[in-house]
Amino acid sequence: MMYRESFLRVSRAGVAAIAGLALVVLLPGCADGPTEDASKDAELVAAKRGSLRISVREGGDLESGKPVIIRSEVEGRNAIIELVEEGTFVKKDQIVCKLDSAGLEDRVQEQELTVDKSKSDVAQAEEDFAIQEKTNLESMKQAETTKLLARRAFEAYRDGSLPLERKRLESELTLSKEELKRAQTEYEASKRLFAKEIIPKTQVEADELGEKKATEKVTISEKNLEHFNAFTCKDELKKLESDWDVSEIAYERVKQQCSSNLMQAQDILDTKTKNRKLEAEQFVKLKGQLKNCVIRSPADGLIVYARERRRHGQSEPIALGKEIRERERIVEIPDLSNMVVQLDIHESSVKKVKRGQRTWITVDALPGKVFPGTVLRVGLVPSSQSSWMNPDLKVYEADVKLEETAEGIKPGMHAQVEILVEQLTDVLQIPLQCVAQSGSRTFVYVSKGNEVELREVEVGLNNQSFVHVKSGVEEGDFVYLSRPGGAQALPKPEGNVFMPATELSPQNPAVGAPPGRGARGGRGGRGGRGGSDDGNVGGRGARGGMSAEERKKMMERYSNMSDEEKKAFQERMRRGGGGDRGGGGDRGPDVRGADDAQTGDVRDVGVDVGVAVDVQGVCSAIDGAL
């Protein structure tokens, strides 16, 4: 952090030193403030009443408000093999760029084979689905027939075979009993005839045997009927009923199996169909990507190469052989009738800038012309692009629209923008150099004849040159531009509530400045005119609060910068007029004077150095400070 702060302090100090000199030169000819009274003392200026314009000044680049942006629509990274020259006027549908398409051509051929294979897979899946439907129909028919036959077998036995078999057994039993009666009758008759010796004994024995056979036959018939009723018919009914139930279960199983097989075949067919569709879409997409390798202009216009923003603020130009990512900008066709200035507003001034405010714009390439404008947009959060060179710098991106245009205006030109914050009329004002601040109090040195009076004043808004005095000074009073020799020193500032009193030491470079060397430049951008023993009025050099070690680190930091970094830093100095874009409008609160000698805070420069002095002078001042 000490590394960054040292560099920051030197940048602001160098700009503040030149800014103070520039104001002394510019004061007599300022158009928005009173002219210096004809006083013999060049250090005196009279308080005058008049109009006072409060504005914020920043530098930025001209860009088209609504450009036609041509981007790469090809996936991945592809090298540029053909590119129209920048600045060429092209017609609609004219080729402006070609990307390397060799890899895409191979992929298109491979994808075409994949699409053909997916079509074959779909045809095979359709055949398998049709076969599965027929197989299911056959299986269902067989299972249904088996179930029907099992049911009919059960019903046939229950209602047909079983009653007939029972009837037959009952008939056999009845006949057996009748035969038994007849055999018994014959046997009894034979015994009577044998007793009368009418028939031989053999006949009696034969009839006896017949009677025994008839008795056995009756017993067998009774047993058969009893066994049939007790076991045979019931077992057969149970078996047939079980066969019927099993056939119904088998029917449901076959039905479910057929449904499952058909669903699987359908899923395979659907998957193959979807895959064919996806492969076909991928084929169409690749053909479209191949077509997009030839980029045509969507409208008539002037070709401008797109530039990609980097962390260090540099841009990588579009050129042959450069690999382009998908959606990366390649070229733009700007709308020259709709131009805006893209600029950065310092955090100390961003609260003053609002959408819709009036602006005046000057373009470096068109000197002498002033274009009216309007603030279109002010960023809500600080820009991340400025964090690389200085992490402590906070700027907000803003767009200002040109309400008029002129021939010769092109994108990329540098422009200065003055944003009107407020126009004060008939107010008492003095040069910004005259005021000095000690803590929260503001003072001026007023000439009273041969005496110098230190007077506390209440101030209002200020611009880069003058400050509105609300009280403490009357019109016609002569005030000093800086503390005159022998004048009373500024009172001690209020104590810092954030730091113990024991740490308030002149030997601490982070707290205050050593006696006689002056504090660092104040928020308004200037320190005091000369050094003082109490250190309340800072010197122009604004190096009094730094130690030798700090200066050494700052010099090492600047010397270790690359040429590109130095160039980027000088460009920001040229556009904004300060190490932290100081000079681009009044920095900080309304009153800008000497810094708080106790805290030693580094403040931003409050003078538009980009207008007061040239670029080379600012850079030389910084190099000299380093």
Side-chain angles (χ1 to χ4, degrees), residues 416-553:
Q416 292 287 341
V417 180
E418 181 178 1
I419 304 172
L420 178 61
V421 177
E422 188 173 351
Q423 182 70 46
L424 303 178
T425 58
D426 193 26
V427 294
L428 187 64
Q429 53 192 287
I430 59 175
L432 189 64
Q433 286 178 283
C434 297
V435 298
Q437 190 166 353
S438 177
S440 61
R441 303 167 67 188
T442 306
F443 298 89
V444 297
Y445 288 95
V446 181
S447 175
K448 302 293 289 183
N450 295 327
E451 298 180 356
V452 178
E453 177 184 355
L454 178 62
R455 189 180 299 176
E456 184 174 357
V457 294
E458 180 184 1
V459 296
L461 297 175
N462 68 282
N463 59 17
Q464 292 77 23
S465 302
F466 292 89
V467 59
H468 171 207
V469 180
K470 296 182 177 181
S471 64
V473 175
E474 300 295 335
E475 182 178 4
D477 287 348
F478 284 92
V479 294
Y480 285 89
L481 292 175
S482 62
R483 178 188 174 186
Q488 178 183 353
L490 293 177
K492 296 290 185 180
E494 301 90 340
N496 194 329
V497 297
F498 299 103
M499 187 178 298
T502 55
E503 298 183 15
L504 300 178
S505 170
Q507 283 73 28
N508 186 350
V511 177
R517 298 184 64 181
R520 285 188 281 275
R523 297 192 180 187
R526 74 174 189 90
R529 290 278 294 181
S532 65
D533 292 339
D534 57 9
N536 288 330
V537 181
R540 283 190 194 272
R543 287 206 271 169
M546 293 185 295
S547 65
E549 182 180 357
E550 289 176 322
R551 288 194 295 272
K552 180 179 179 181
K553 289 183 178 180

Side-chain angles (χ1 to χ4, degrees), residues 46-97:
K48 295 284 189 177
R49 302 191 70 86
S51 62
L52 181 62
R53 186 168 68 192
I54 309 300
S55 62
V56 174
R57 293 181 183 178
E58 291 288 356
D61 294 328
L62 280 171
E63 297 293 343
S64 176
K66 294 182 180 179
V68 177
I69 300 176
I70 301 176
R71 304 176 185 270
S72 170
E73 301 294 338
V74 183
E75 293 180 349
R77 301 176 67 93
N78 298 272
I80 298 175
I81 58 176
E82 289 186 22
L83 183 64
V84 69
E85 292 185 4
E86 189 174 22
T88 303
F89 187 87
V90 297
K91 296 290 186 180
K92 184 178 181 182
D93 295 329
Q94 181 178 339
I95 297 176
V96 298
C97 180

Side-chain angles (χ1 to χ4, degrees), residues 113-122 272 275-276 279:
L113 296 176
T114 304
V115 170
D116 293 339
K117 183 179 182 302
S118 65
K119 291 179 179 179
S120 176
D121 292 341
V122 171
K272 298 293 185 182
N275 184 66
R276 179 187 64 182
E279 297 296 347

Side-chain angles (χ1 to χ4, degrees), residues 24-37:
V24 175
V25 176
L26 292 177
L27 281 176
C30 290
D32 55 355
T35 58
E36 185 176 348
D37 189 87

Side-chain angles (χ1 to χ4, degrees), residues 369 431 496 506 603:
K369 293 186 178 180
N496 194 329
R603 307 300 186 186

